[in-house]
């Protein structure tokens, strides 16, 4: 029918997301984006706007897919923050091991290139990291540990997540990544147990 787009916009966005995920913003050329989506430059601009607008849409697409999985994992064990963190890392390891998607993480990839991003895009990436921190912090809130300790642990968990993404891109084995996760979860559990008992002793 005249005037209707003859392609799947969602699929094209998924393909563009993979280009940014694999190459990073700086190296995701318009030619690479056009080739991946099957669109000419005119159609690419007409559908998604310029490269910066497309990049932000790809970040939103990524979060809609993976952010929802993280949120579900973190909320799946009310009253058990350690198990919630374990479930969060399980989702991350599953994404890293998935051969159907690029290695690493689009947000981590974008964060490493923050200096090349325009201000609006850099703010978008920082906002997504902050969102991840808030989600983890909410999962830890069931603990009676000092709130400052919970803030620090949430920062730590997000930092480990980003490190896993970088390590996976460098070819670190699944076994090694899982050992990092085991130690991280042990650190969370031990810190919560220690600070909770200290708080009880002071009380």
């Amino acid at each position: 029918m005249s005037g209707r787009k003859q392609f799947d916009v969602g699929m094209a966005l998924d393909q563009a997301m993979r280009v940014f995920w694999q190459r990073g913003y700086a190296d995701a050329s318009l030619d690479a984006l056009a080739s991946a989506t099957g669109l000419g430059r005119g159609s690419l601009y007409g559908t998604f706007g310029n490269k910066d607008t497309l990049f932000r849409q790809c970040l939103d697409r990524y979060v809609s897919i993976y952010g929802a999985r993280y949120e579900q994992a973190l909320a799946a064990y009310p009253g058990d923050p350690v198990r919630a963190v374990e479930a969060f890392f399980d989702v991350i390891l599953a994404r890293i091991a998935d051969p159907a998607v690029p290695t690493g993480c689009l947000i981590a990839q974008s964060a490493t290139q923050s200096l090349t991003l325009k201000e609006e895009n850099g703010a978008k990436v920082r906002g997504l990291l902050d969102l991840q921190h808030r989600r983890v912090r909410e999962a830890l809130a069931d603990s009676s540990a000092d709130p400052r300790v919970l803030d620090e642990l949430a920062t730590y968990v997000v930092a480990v997540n980003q490190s896993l993404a970088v390590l996976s891109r460098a070819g670190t084995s699944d076994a090694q990544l899982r050992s990092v996760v085991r130690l991280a979860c042990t650190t969370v559990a031990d810190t919560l147990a220690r600070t909770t008992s200290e708080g009880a002793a002071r009380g």
Side-chain angles (χ1 to χ4, degrees):
M1 294 176 62
S2 177
R4 292 189 61 183
K5 291 182 172 62
Q6 300 300 308
F7 60 90
D8 186 320
V9 174
M11 184 176 295
L13 188 59
D14 282 340
Q15 295 305 317
M17 178 183 72
R18 288 168 183 266
V19 174
F20 285 119
W21 188 345
Q22 181 65 44
R23 300 188 178 201
Y25 175 86
D27 293 329
S29 67
L30 288 175
D31 286 340
L33 291 165
S35 176
T37 59
L39 303 175
R41 286 195 178 199
S43 295
L44 195 67
Y45 278 122
T47 302
F48 300 111
N50 60 25
K51 179 180 175 180
D52 291 301
T53 303
L54 175 58
F55 176 65
R56 289 192 295 276
Q57 291 181 59
C58 287
L59 287 172
D60 287 337
R61 182 77 164 185
Y62 183 87
V63 172
S64 72
I65 296 171
Y66 294 103
R69 298 179 190 178
Y70 300 152
E71 190 167 8
Q72 290 170 2
L74 288 166
Y77 297 93
D80 191 346
V82 175
R83 185 66 189 92
V85 169
E86 291 174 346
F88 172 67
F89 282 128
D90 284 344
V91 173
I92 292 164
L93 291 173
R95 185 206 67 222
I96 289 173
D98 186 353
V101 298
T103 56
C105 163
L106 176 59
I107 297 173
Q109 171 77 301
S110 302
T112 62
Q113 297 190 343
S114 290
L115 293 179
T116 69
L117 301 179
K118 291 186 178 179
E119 183 176 353
E120 186 175 358
N121 289 342
K124 177 80 171 180
V125 173
R126 288 192 297 275
L128 293 176
L129 288 171
D130 289 342
L131 173 60
Q132 191 172 107
H133 183 278
R134 288 196 299 273
R135 285 172 170 164
V136 174
R137 178 62 177 81
E138 288 171 3
L140 296 173
D142 286 329
S143 169
S144 59
D146 188 300
R148 289 173 298 178
V149 173
L150 299 182
D151 290 340
E152 292 171 352
L153 278 177
T155 300
Y156 170 72
V157 169
V158 172
V160 173
N161 175 27
Q162 300 307 306
S163 298
L164 291 170
V166 174
L167 289 171
S168 69
R169 286 187 69 87
T172 302
S173 70
D174 178 71
Q176 289 173 308
L177 294 178
R178 289 185 180 279
S179 70
V180 171
V181 167
R182 283 195 299 272
L183 287 171
C185 290
T186 297
T187 298
V188 171
D190 289 349
T191 302
L192 290 177
R194 173 175 52 79
T195 57
T196 299
S197 62
E198 289 173 353
R202 286 194 299 269

